[in-house]
Amino acid sequence: MKRVAFCVLLLCVSVLHAANPRWVAGSQWTNVGKAMTWYRNDVQYFVDIGPLSSAVNHDAAVSLVDAAASVWNLNALPFTLKNGGSLAEDVSSINVYTGSSGLIWPTDVSSSSYTSKQIAVVLDADGSITDALLGSGASEPSNCRTNGVTESVDLFIQPGKIAHARIVVNGRCSGAAAEQQLQLQYQLMRAFGRVLGIGWSQLNDNVFTGSPAPTYAQQMHWPIMHPMDIICGPYTYQCLPQPFTLREDDIAAMWLLYADSTTSLAASNMMSINGNIYSSGVHPLSGVNLTVTRYQRWGSYGVDGFQSVSNVTGFNMSFDRGNPVTGASGDTQGIYGPIVGDVGSSFNFGAIPLSTGTYITLASEPVNPLYKGAYAVGPYQMGSPTPSGSAISISNGAYGPGANVFVSYIVPNAASECSTAQDGTESAPGAIPAGGTWSSRLCGVGHSSWMGFAVKAGRTATVEVTATDENGNASSTKAMPLIGMWHGSDATGTLPGLAAQTVAFNGARTGMSQLRASFTATENVRFVITDARGDGRPDYTYRARVLYADSVSPTRLSSSGGTVVITGTGFALGNTVTIGGLAANVVSISATSIRVVAPALTSSGAKNVTVTDLSTGGTTTMTGAITYGGVSSDVLAMTSQPAATVAVGAPSLLALQLKDGNGAAVRNGEIAVSASAGSVVVGACNLARCTLVTDANGVAQTYITPSAAGAITVNAVSSGGSAVQASFTATAASRAVTLLRPTEYVAAGSGATFTPAADVTVNGAAAAGTSVLWTASTSRAGFTSSVSTANAGGMSSIATTGALRDGEAATVQACAWTTVCGTQNLIAVAAANLRAAVVSGDAQSRSATDSLNNVALRVLDTSGNPVAGATVAVYQAVSGWQPACTTGRCATAPVYGTATSSTISDDDGLVTVSPLQYANTAAVTKITASVGTQGAITVTLVKTP
């Protein structure tokens, strides 16, 4: 809601503030909050006695200085700037030298002589003083546009007044050409304006930007005290008409600085406007450039085609209030306004030239982002924030000479919410959300957001803060976030003891500030989010994230890697993980957890785990969080071993447990098992030597089968070197035929293929080449052959295509050496009892450039038993990927293609489906598999852009 209050007072002006004063008195001055002007109204300047250059003698140089200074003498004001005579010497590098605290000047050039010589004008004939002030080479003629004249004010006195200044004219910028002297006169005129306390103004800024093309009238109302010259040739004074004539805004600035009780707005045909600009909720809106345009409601004058005067809201506030990250205000002189209080809404047009019956339009515009630092317009040296809400345009009148108008205006649609309830304090920081991301604002003068979280030693974290505008978009023209972090034990009120980001927007994204911190102790840390300007506004909103990996499980891996889970906060889709410097395969990710498959590594030892957000550059590292292989402090124990006597071919359980030096179970520890005496088969690998991997309890088990009679010694050695041993005697050989699946479930009906298999051993060793005779209790078992031969591993199998009836039970018998037999039971499963389940490969989400993995399905009966020989029909459809649709009618994704196929489950009930997919295409593949009359399952796989 827009609200405007006008109050018109027909009064003489008694005390006025400058529109855009260069300096405002800080709290150490009696005139706190007021524009700083000269301590006397008859300021004099004194010119050194030497020449400006070989082309410009002393008298010519004095005339140039007099011409530049004279424009600031206005008849209606009780202020004069006059030539007081000469300095006592020719100021040069002979009598100016560098001391421990800067340049040492002759006495009458130094600030100690302010009562007799207020302004010293130094004619730097050879440029040596310019070089001493600005750096070697600064006086070069190529730098004359910026270094032709150098001004400085070096003394302020109570009650908050300017007392002394120096102006150095670079003689190397003068010469035989008249244009060179005119350029220096133009620069001197602007330098005098600066030492008088006039700040830069933004008015008719299209003269500077060129868009739209400026008119002559706009050029004539572009302030002499504009921040940056336009360049149209070698001499910038030639770029504007009547370059040595003050504009209305310059005259108004002098009025606003030096008018007193003896001056009359009415007598000079002027008026004034002052007031405040707010958002709803009465929050100040500072840094808004306000302009005044005059118009008449009748007659032939119409609306002026130019802006007349300007002022920036908050012109008398401090731009450097200090903050917890950078410390106290750097304004040690107290010349940039008070650092307490809130005057960010104030504006003041102290002197507006007008004609009787003039109407005015008060309008707003952003400050040009180029105008910052030494060229700042208004209080924000770091650059003004963009205005919040609708542009201001207030028209009213008619006003006559001497009118003094007060305006209080609430900007429509401006940000007004100022709640910071979730922010903690330095002594009681708020807790970061579990997911590590949140949004808030820096509202209220000097407000900072304090948060904290627990960290572990050997960890790093990245804190990211992105400034946002009223629409939630990232912005570098609103808040300027700084971030600092402290140890939990650090005293309050101190500078950051852990890490600090003292410059805003160092991140990889627009509006982002980023702090990286490393932790050497397990503790609770606190951190602050603050604004570099410190004024605090409702539109200083931000998004924050803490990216921190806290722990990983398991902490031990074998050399082949394996699945691990990283827990922490601030994780996001697209984050990558490296372990030991190699990429890990990210399986799934949430804000607090990442599941990855760790890579295989050839080197053992502790490895770093790093999570990286490629989109922001944020990282978090856990140093030495995962150990590959063993360590020397590991302890291996044998919890079960073969009996003293074991028959050849008879398997015996060998159970081992691995613990670390603290007695905790070692997961994923590697243990090598082999026989140093005798011959055995290690069942886990079906080899004489095998490496076992411990489970979550540190346990590894296998069966040891002696393959020959005699004394046997089995050794188990961890990768860290801990070893145990078991000894026993193997006796007598035996033959055996063992069906791999004592009971097999087969799909009923014709065409059900399955493969009975038997393990044929002699003394527990593979009986390679042995013939096996297969028989069945019914011809419906469908043997294709009655004899098979054991392979090198002792395995013998036979392919069948059965036709068993629903629920039918049958037996298969495998016999070797005629009398050594094994039996398998067959159970036929009706079509109505077949079901499908996913084994692996579901929930895949990959980028468009990657390939989808195969999907493994298993056919089961209603009791969960795997079913062999079942025909599985597979239908696949690929449609276009679309972002989530949350509201309204959702568009139908285009279908790229379909496919139909069928396959038959193997003896473990497994079928493998290769997903239908298109290279480099973001799409959704839906796989529907059906079996029997009741079994169906659908899997959705995604390839994102």
Side-chain angles (χ1 to χ4, degrees), residues 286-473:
S286 51
V288 180
N289 195 60
L290 299 178
T291 63
V292 168
T293 302
R294 298 170 301 216
Y295 69 98
Q296 302 290 336
R297 283 196 174 180
W298 57 82
S300 61
Y301 296 102
V303 180
D304 285 344
F306 53 83
Q307 299 164 338
S308 178
V309 291
S310 67
N311 183 236
V312 177
T313 57
F315 66 93
N316 54 348
M317 63 180 279
S318 173
F319 73 87
D320 182 4
R321 296 171 179 265
N323 59 72
V325 177
T326 60
S329 169
D331 180 17
T332 56
Q333 291 181 289
I335 59 175
Y336 295 112
I339 62 173
V340 296
D342 193 348
V343 290
S345 63
S346 302
F347 69 91
N348 194 329
F349 295 93
I352 305 171
L354 76 168
S355 302
T356 303
T358 296
Y359 290 77
I360 65 165
T361 296
L362 180 65
S364 67
E365 63 186 17
V367 173
N368 189 323
L370 293 176
Y371 300 157
K372 58 184 177 180
Y375 305 101
V377 172
Y380 291 112
Q381 301 289 305
M382 303 175 191
S384 294
T386 53
S388 179
S390 303
I392 299 170
S393 182
I394 310 169
S395 298
N396 215 321
Y399 299 118
N404 185 7
V405 180
F406 179 82
V407 177
S408 180
Y409 184 77
I410 295 179
V411 178
N413 307 315
S416 59
E417 175 60 44
C418 202
S419 172
T420 56
Q422 69 176 347
D423 294 350
T425 63
E426 183 176 13
S427 58
I432 65 171
T437 59
W438 70 98
S439 298
S440 189
R441 60 182 51 82
L442 297 168
C443 190
V445 174
H447 176 75
S448 298
S449 172
W450 291 90
M451 308 293 278
F453 64 108
V455 300
K456 291 178 180 177
R459 307 290 189 260
T460 69
T462 301
V463 181
E464 298 171 344
V465 181
T466 302
T468 55
D469 61 18
E470 297 90 331
N471 299 316
N473 299 316

Side-chain angles (χ1 to χ4, degrees), residues 129-388:
I129 296 178
T130 300
D131 286 341
L133 287 169
L134 304 180
S136 178
S139 66
E140 292 287 341
S142 60
N143 296 323
C144 284
R145 281 200 187 104
T146 54
N147 300 339
V149 177
T150 304
E151 54 80 18
S152 63
V153 172
D154 60 346
L155 181 64
F156 299 90
I157 61 174
Q158 288 288 7
K161 294 287 186 176
I162 306 168
H164 188 264
R166 272 186 298 270
I167 296 177
V168 178
V169 186
N170 182 3
R172 298 182 70 186
C173 297
S174 65
E179 291 87 353
Q180 290 177 286
Q181 277 63 258
L182 289 173
Q183 176 69 15
L184 284 175
Q185 179 182 334
Y186 170 73
Q187 292 174 315
L188 268 166
M189 176 180 61
R190 283 165 51 84
F192 274 119
R194 292 291 279 172
V195 300
L196 293 181
I198 299 175
W200 302 124
S201 289
Q202 175 177 305
L203 194 72
N204 300 301
D205 202 44
N206 61 309
V207 177
F208 175 71
T209 65
S211 180
T215 65
Y216 178 82
Q218 288 170 333
Q219 290 177 319
M220 283 301 298
H221 287 81
W222 190 43
I224 292 299
M225 299 306 291
H226 52 264
M228 297 178 178
D229 277 338
I230 51 177
I231 299 174
C232 60
Y235 306 107
T236 57
Y237 79 91
Q238 297 175 335
C239 302
L240 63 160
Q242 302 182 36
F244 304 107
T245 301
L246 296 184
R247 278 37 174 177
E248 286 182 342
D249 191 70
D250 304 311
I251 295 170
M254 283 295 292
W255 266 76
L256 298 169
L257 283 172
Y258 292 104
D260 62 15
S261 59
T262 68
T263 55
S264 169
L265 286 170
S268 297
N269 198 27
M270 293 185 177
M271 66 169 292
S272 68
I273 303 175
N274 63 86
N276 300 284
I277 303 296
Y278 299 103
S279 66
S280 59
V282 198
H283 296 293
L285 289 181
S286 51
V288 180
N289 195 60
L290 299 178
T291 63
V292 168
T293 302
R294 298 170 301 216
Y295 69 98
Q296 302 290 336
R297 283 196 174 180
W298 57 82
S300 61
Y301 296 102
V303 180
D304 285 344
F306 53 83
Q307 299 164 338
S308 178
V309 291
S310 67
N311 183 236
V312 177
T313 57
F315 66 93
N316 54 348
M317 63 180 279
S318 173
F319 73 87
D320 182 4
R321 296 171 179 265
N323 59 72
V325 177
T326 60
S329 169
D331 180 17
T332 56
Q333 291 181 289
I335 59 175
Y336 295 112
I339 62 173
V340 296
D342 193 348
V343 290
S345 63
S346 302
F347 69 91
N348 194 329
F349 295 93
I352 305 171
L354 76 168
S355 302
T356 303
T358 296
Y359 290 77
I360 65 165
T361 296
L362 180 65
S364 67
E365 63 186 17
V367 173
N368 189 323
L370 293 176
Y371 300 157
K372 58 184 177 180
Y375 305 101
V377 172
Y380 291 112
Q381 301 289 305
M382 303 175 191
S384 294
T386 53
S388 179

Side-chain angles (χ1 to χ4, degrees), residues 24-37:
V24 176
S27 56
Q28 62 261 58
W29 305 109
T30 304
N31 285 348
V32 58
K34 295 182 179 180
M36 303 184 81
T37 59

Side-chain angles (χ1 to χ4, degrees), residues 705-718:
T705 303
S707 53
I712 294 177
T713 300
V714 174
N715 297 309
V717 182
S718 75

Side-chain angles (χ1 to χ4, degrees), residues 738-746 754-757 804 808-812 822-829 861 863-868 906-909:
T738 306
L739 271 295
L740 292 188
R741 298 176 186 84
T743 300
E744 185 158 13
Y745 295 83
V746 182
F754 62 102
T755 306
L804 298 173
E808 182 178 5
T811 58
V812 171
T823 301
Q824 180 184 54
N825 297 310
L826 300 180
I827 299 176
V829 181
D861 67 9
S863 297
N865 299 304
V867 178
D906 66 14
D907 289 76
D908 292 317

Side-chain angles (χ1 to χ4, degrees), residues 847-939:
S847 67
T849 57
D850 294 334
S851 297
L852 297 171
N853 293 332
N854 289 344
V855 176
L857 306 175
R858 176 170 275 133
V859 179
L860 307 168
D861 67 9
T862 54
S863 297
N865 299 304
V867 178
T871 300
V872 179
V874 179
Y875 173 78
Q876 301 189 61
V878 180
S879 59
W881 178 89
Q882 290 183 323
C885 176
T886 59
T887 59
R889 178 173 292 179
C890 299
T892 301
V895 176
Y896 296 155
T898 62
T900 302
S901 61
S902 65
T903 185
I904 296 176
S905 60
D906 66 14
D907 289 76
D908 292 317
L910 293 175
V911 296
T912 300
V913 179
S914 298
L916 180 62
Q917 56 187 306
Y918 299 95
N920 300 314
T921 301
V924 177
T925 299
K926 289 192 174 181
I927 302 173
T928 299
S930 61
V931 61
T933 61
Q934 304 293 322
I937 192 167
T938 298
V939 175

Side-chain angles (χ1 to χ4, degrees), residues 66 68 131 265 408 619 651 680 702 897:
D66 290 344
D131 286 341
L265 286 170
S408 180
T619 63
V680 300
T702 188

